Amino acid sequence: MYLYTPDEIDRERAHHQAVIQGADNLDVKRIGNLGELAFEQFCREYLPVEMWEWENEEAIRRCNAESFSGHDFEVFGYEIDVKTSRDVSAFRPANLLENDPDDDIIVMVWHRDNEDALILLGWERTETLKSKVRTQDAYSGEEPEKLAHLAARPMNELQDLGPNTAHMNQKPQNPFKPGDRVRKAGDDDASVAVVVEVVPPEKDVSLYGQTMDGEAVSVAFPNMLDDGPGNWREIHPAKLASYCDDQDIQLYTYKHTNLEYAENPFTPGDYVIKPDYEDPDLAVVLEVAEDGDDDRDITIVFCKHLEKEFGEQTYVPPAELESRCDEAGIKSYSYGHDELSFKPQY
């Protein structure tokens, strides 16, 4: 068995995709999405990347509606459906077949009430489930009242369905997640970018006409995001891929080893605080000095001053913010970037 612990990005995407899907029962759909994410993580780390495919990968990553494929995954040529439930009686052979008799294999995932952890219990061939149901009906009669048969083969035996070249333990090396601020490695003049998508390694990513060997990361540049219809800084990073897809905001794809975390991650429009204050006021970055040697390279304005001047509708596109503050006579303050911290507003 394997324990899967969804992070904040996983939970947000699982829920938002369920909303976009228009599910009648959001809880059931969200939990089903988390079950697929759990099995996808297992595949990424333990099965050859070229021998499996997740049908709903892009739909969940970009929070789009699914195409209603008859199965969730294809592994070694087998059609696989993932069943996720808090009620383990759902994994009895007859119950599994009643809900999904057509796929080749069913993977069983159990989840805790608060959805903070899921356990991949195992898997079973549909034909084996049918045989077990027939055997129970013909020879066993009714099962003991206090003891019910649950069908499951260990997860690591799934590897045995593939060729003997299949290998285990190939954990992805990509360190980035949506929302991270990065820049091109080794380029002092590179612009700060925002990680939007971490593209799974099973995807054949082509850069400049050549297939890339390694894990890819798609980023967007803040000035392009600023041109969108809304304030993207109020959108959870898990939903940035959905936002960019909906608004046709261009993404740029890099091999993850060609990126590094930005030493100075701030750009105009970012919400920040000075964390060493006991009760810090929320501020917005007004300007980032191009000269990295300046100790006070970030200029900010406090939101309470914007509210006093502009009322409750304080959002001003970052490209216009400096001139609007100058016209209104709003005082600005300068700090070093290492004195400030992000204060997300989603």
Side-chain angles (χ1 to χ4, degrees):
M1 294 189 292
Y2 292 86
L3 174 67
Y4 164 75
T5 304
D7 60 18
E8 185 180 2
I9 297 293
D10 292 339
R11 290 195 294 268
E12 285 288 335
R13 281 183 171 168
H15 180 77
H16 193 57
Q17 194 281 330
V19 172
I20 297 299
Q21 187 78 34
D24 294 332
N25 189 323
L26 286 179
D27 290 344
V28 170
K29 180 59 180 169
R30 178 181 63 253
I31 292 166
N33 286 344
L34 287 173
E36 290 190 41
L37 283 162
F39 184 62
E40 183 254 358
Q41 191 65 33
F42 172 83
C43 291
R44 287 188 68 184
E45 297 194 16
Y46 293 107
L47 299 178
V49 297
E50 69 276 8
M51 295 183 181
W52 64 274
E53 182 177 0
W54 184 18
E55 297 292 326
N56 301 322
E57 181 265 317
E58 185 169 302
I60 291 181
R61 176 157 51 90
R62 297 189 172 185
C63 300
N64 292 333
E66 297 172 14
S67 58
F68 295 101
S69 172
H71 56 281
D72 298 324
F73 290 80
E74 186 171 315
V75 178
F76 302 130
Y78 295 95
E79 294 182 353
I80 293 182
D81 206 52
V82 180
K83 296 300 180 187
T84 308
S85 179
R86 179 71 173 88
D87 180 5
V88 291
S89 69
F91 304 135
R92 299 176 66 178
N95 292 344
L96 288 170
L97 287 175
E98 180 181 355
N99 293 322
D100 193 354
D102 299 324
D103 293 314
D104 299 321
I105 291 171
I106 296 175
V107 171
M108 288 150 270
V109 182
W110 178 87
H111 71 90
R112 286 165 50 98
D113 280 338
N114 56 5
E115 303 168 30
D116 65 339
L118 296 88
I119 295 177
L120 285 86
L121 296 176
W123 62 277
E124 191 59 272
R125 292 175 183 263
T126 305
E127 288 303 317
T128 301
L129 292 173
K130 292 177 181 177
S131 176
K132 289 185 176 182
V133 170
R134 287 194 300 267
T135 301
Q136 286 176 308
D137 290 341
Y139 303 106
S140 304
E142 293 186 2
E143 292 180 331
E145 183 177 346
K146 294 185 178 181
L147 190 66
H149 178 76
L150 301 181
R153 297 183 62 178
M155 287 302 303
N156 60 353
E157 289 186 6
L158 193 63
Q159 180 194 24
D160 297 337
L161 296 178
N164 57 15
T165 56
H167 56 282
M168 301 282 279
N169 295 324
Q170 52 184 34
K171 185 174 178 62
Q173 300 299 310
N174 170 46
F176 304 111
K177 65 182 185 300
D180 285 345
R181 297 294 177 93
V182 296
R183 58 187 296 169
K184 189 175 180 181
D187 185 351
D188 294 337
D189 295 326
S191 299
V192 172
V194 182
V195 174
V196 173
E197 292 180 315
V198 175
V199 183
E202 70 275 9
K203 289 295 179 185
D204 291 328
V205 179
S206 178
L207 293 178
Y208 309 110
Q210 295 184 346
T211 300
M212 187 186 69
D213 180 20
E215 298 160 30
V217 175
S218 293
V219 305
F221 290 97
N223 61 323
M224 295 181 177
L225 289 165
D226 291 340
D227 290 337
N231 183 359
W232 62 273
R233 292 175 175 85
E234 295 181 353
I235 300 173
H236 194 284
K239 303 175 187 177
L240 279 178
S242 177
Y243 177 75
C244 291
D245 190 44
D246 291 343
Q247 304 301 328
D248 293 325
I249 294 173
Q250 185 172 358
L251 301 182
Y252 297 84
T253 302
Y254 295 87
K255 187 175 179 178
H256 76 279
T257 53
N258 291 336
L259 294 174
E260 62 184 10
Y261 291 105
E263 181 181 353
N264 179 355
F266 301 109
T267 61
D270 287 338
Y271 294 101
V272 296
I273 58 170
K274 197 169 186 297
D276 58 351
Y277 289 169
E278 183 175 343
D279 185 19
D281 290 322
L282 183 66
V284 178
V285 174
L286 188 68
E287 184 181 9
V288 178
E290 294 183 4
D291 185 0
D293 295 331
D294 192 345
D295 290 339
R296 293 176 174 262
D297 51 358
I298 305 294
T299 302
I300 59 99
V301 291
F302 288 104
C303 289
K304 62 182 181 181
H305 296 158
L306 295 175
E307 291 172 4
K308 183 177 180 181
E309 186 65 34
F310 301 136
E312 294 183 359
Q313 301 298 323
T314 58
Y315 177 69
V316 177
E320 304 174 13
L321 187 58
E322 186 174 7
S323 61
R324 292 282 299 275
C325 288
D326 287 342
E327 292 172 3
I330 298 175
K331 188 175 181 180
S332 62
Y333 302 82
S334 295
Y335 300 96
H337 67 267
D338 54 354
E339 299 179 81
L340 301 174
S341 295
F342 286 106
K343 183 65 174 177
Q345 295 302 295
Y346 45 81

